[in-house]
Amino acid sequence: MFRLRDLTRFCPNRSNFAEVLVHNNALANTTGPAIPAVDRLKWAQGGHKYSTTGADVVNNQPDEPILKRVLNKVGFAFTTKARLRVSSNLLYENVADKISYFSFFKAFELPNTFNSWFLVTELHVWMLLVRAMAEGSESGEDGRFIRNCIVEVMWGDVNTRAKKLGANNPSRTRKQIEILSEQFQAALISYDEGIMAEDRVLAGALWRRFFAMDCDDITKIERLVKYVREQVNILDKMSREEFLQKPKIPWTDLDKINK
């Protein structure tokens, strides 16, 4: 069972993503350029790579990462913190490289923009954070450590992708970083409250954040609520070993959720 007290809330260090470059108005509206091709992201810990390759592609399946091949051979011969950091790295990869982003764009009529990519990523990262906070002793130390590591990797990915948009206005970038981080914080709190309450509350949280208060089609909101409930339930049933040791998250097929 999840420990939902202070599930995903934390204060991020904005300096970790001080170079995030967000396209003009990407955070404020739903129009903009298509998501650019993304180079492989090298994570500082061990050189692990995330990738979505090819022009305007957000969900290409990459070759098996070097780190994963090494883990398959040598296992987790690290300290506890090192194991958890590697697991966090792999967990985020399960979002960035395994989610069918275009299915969400199509189903919920989202434009193919950086902002839409972030909204989908944010929602799935939050679900991982909820599951992560169930780990550890009564103090929840492991859960908090995994949570922070996942978020750190996420911001590294955001930074790399945003650079491809080519914005070069430092003052505007700093302001956009503050807006993005504040929105992320607010989303975690809102989603936490929604998952602990009835569907009406969760629907309100999704409408305000994911749909940016611009969706009059209740069937779309209901569909996303059902998807989130089902996915959180799947994550809840995963054992610690399944979740942390060479994780392969069984993401629900959105196309199979009743419209």
Side-chain angles (χ1 to χ4, degrees):
M1 179 178 296
F2 293 125
R3 300 181 186 281
L4 291 173
R5 78 281 188 274
D6 295 329
L7 261 182
T8 60
R9 304 175 194 184
F10 69 105
C11 294
N13 183 353
R14 293 193 176 111
S15 64
N16 289 339
F17 42 95
E19 295 181 345
V20 173
L21 303 177
V22 183
H23 211 306
N24 292 350
N25 299 323
L27 298 174
N29 56 54
T30 57
T31 60
I35 298 172
V38 179
D39 292 338
R40 292 177 179 271
L41 168 63
K42 293 184 178 181
W43 190 48
Q45 301 293 330
H48 184 51
K49 298 179 180 180
Y50 303 107
S51 67
T52 50
T53 58
D56 194 31
V57 175
V58 295
N59 195 43
N60 247 0
Q61 297 249 350
D63 294 333
E64 188 176 38
I66 294 175
L67 177 57
K68 189 174 289 187
R69 294 202 300 269
V70 172
L71 290 176
N72 287 337
K73 291 184 178 181
V74 304
F76 284 81
F78 311 113
T79 64
T80 298
K81 294 297 185 183
R83 287 200 305 269
L84 294 178
R85 186 174 290 278
V86 169
S87 296
S88 301
N89 188 15
L90 296 176
L91 284 167
Y92 179 75
E93 182 187 76
N94 271 263
V95 174
D97 290 335
K98 304 302 181 183
I99 295 298
S100 178
Y101 285 88
F102 287 120
S103 293
F104 283 84
F105 295 172
K106 180 179 179 181
F108 303 116
E109 299 181 358
L110 300 175
N112 184 3
T113 63
F114 177 83
N115 190 54
S116 296
W117 172 85
F118 184 77
L119 289 172
V120 175
T121 300
E122 175 185 76
L123 180 63
H124 288 82
V125 165
W126 164 72
M127 288 190 281
L128 288 183
L129 302 185
V130 171
R131 175 60 184 82
M133 288 300 288
E135 292 300 329
S137 62
E138 286 299 318
S139 65
E141 180 179 353
D142 284 354
R144 287 192 295 272
F145 184 78
I146 297 168
R147 174 200 63 190
N148 293 341
C149 288
I150 292 174
V151 173
E152 178 184 349
V153 178
M154 182 195 75
W155 284 119
D157 192 19
V158 168
N159 177 53
T160 298
R161 292 172 187 265
K163 281 183 178 179
K164 296 297 180 178
L165 294 175
N168 57 6
N169 187 322
S171 61
R172 179 174 294 173
T173 297
R174 284 193 295 270
K175 180 61 177 177
Q176 290 169 333
I177 290 172
E178 293 179 2
I179 294 173
L180 188 60
S181 62
E182 289 169 3
Q183 289 179 340
F184 180 69
Q185 286 283 350
L188 296 187
I189 295 172
S190 182
Y191 287 160
D192 276 353
E193 293 172 346
I195 200 64
M196 291 188 289
E198 58 188 0
D199 286 352
R200 177 176 58 84
V201 179
L202 179 57
L206 292 168
W207 178 75
R208 289 189 300 273
R209 176 55 177 164
F210 190 88
F211 293 103
M213 298 185 289
D214 187 25
C215 179
D216 297 325
D217 189 344
I218 189 64
T219 60
K220 287 186 174 65
I221 301 174
E222 290 177 341
R223 187 180 183 189
L224 189 55
V225 168
K226 185 174 182 179
Y227 172 83
V228 170
R229 292 289 190 194
E230 185 171 321
Q231 187 61 58
V232 168
N233 185 54
I234 289 173
L235 290 168
D236 191 22
K237 292 179 180 179
M238 294 181 71
S239 66
R240 179 183 176 90
E241 290 71 25
E242 291 172 328
F243 185 67
L244 294 179
Q245 293 186 14
K246 308 173 190 177
K248 185 176 181 180
I249 303 299
W251 296 114
T252 300
D253 186 348
L254 182 63
D255 293 332
K256 295 181 179 180
I257 300 294
N258 295 333
K259 298 181 181 180

